[in-house]
Amino acid sequence: KVIATREKFTDELRKRDFTVTDSSANFVFASHRTVPAKKIFTELRERGILVRYFNKPLIDNHLRISIGTDMEMDAVISALDDILSGRE
């Protein structure tokens, strides 16, 4: 189930201009082509969605997003759609 959810989530991220590192784990490592990871991290947190952001060289524009249930991942995608479109 986690694999199927991760693959679906990865596909949805890529449709939204994210670069996603191939993963065999219960998380994905992703960066957006134009929106900084720190901005996405902050705005997701304001919506009650917690992801990992690392303020470290080479990975400071990436997010580590753990895979949850299908419903949780749909909520992440919905929040990302709002963030990427500039909606509050």
Side-chain angles (χ1 to χ4, degrees):
K1 181 74 178 157
V2 172
I3 293 168
T5 302
R6 182 188 65 228
E7 289 175 358
K8 177 184 173 204
F9 183 68
T10 297
D11 289 343
E12 291 299 321
L13 288 176
R14 288 181 174 147
K15 289 177 188 175
R16 290 160 175 80
D17 286 332
F18 279 84
T19 300
V20 184
T21 304
D22 289 335
S23 175
S24 295
N26 66 339
F27 65 89
V28 296
F29 200 60
S31 65
H32 193 268
R33 295 185 196 278
T34 59
V35 181
K38 187 170 186 175
K39 175 180 173 51
I40 296 170
F41 166 76
T42 301
E43 293 196 27
L44 285 174
R45 186 178 59 194
E46 289 171 1
R47 289 167 170 80
I49 298 172
L50 303 178
V51 299
R52 298 286 308 269
Y53 168 72
F54 303 96
N55 191 13
K56 305 254 184 223
L58 301 178
I59 61 169
D60 64 340
N61 197 37
H62 291 79
L63 299 170
R64 182 191 185 276
I65 305 170
S66 295
I67 302 301
T69 65
D70 287 335
M71 193 166 76
E72 290 168 335
M73 303 320 292
D74 290 344
V76 174
I77 290 296
S78 179
L80 288 171
D81 286 343
D82 289 346
I83 292 165
L84 297 175
S85 70
R87 292 186 298 241
E88 292 297 320

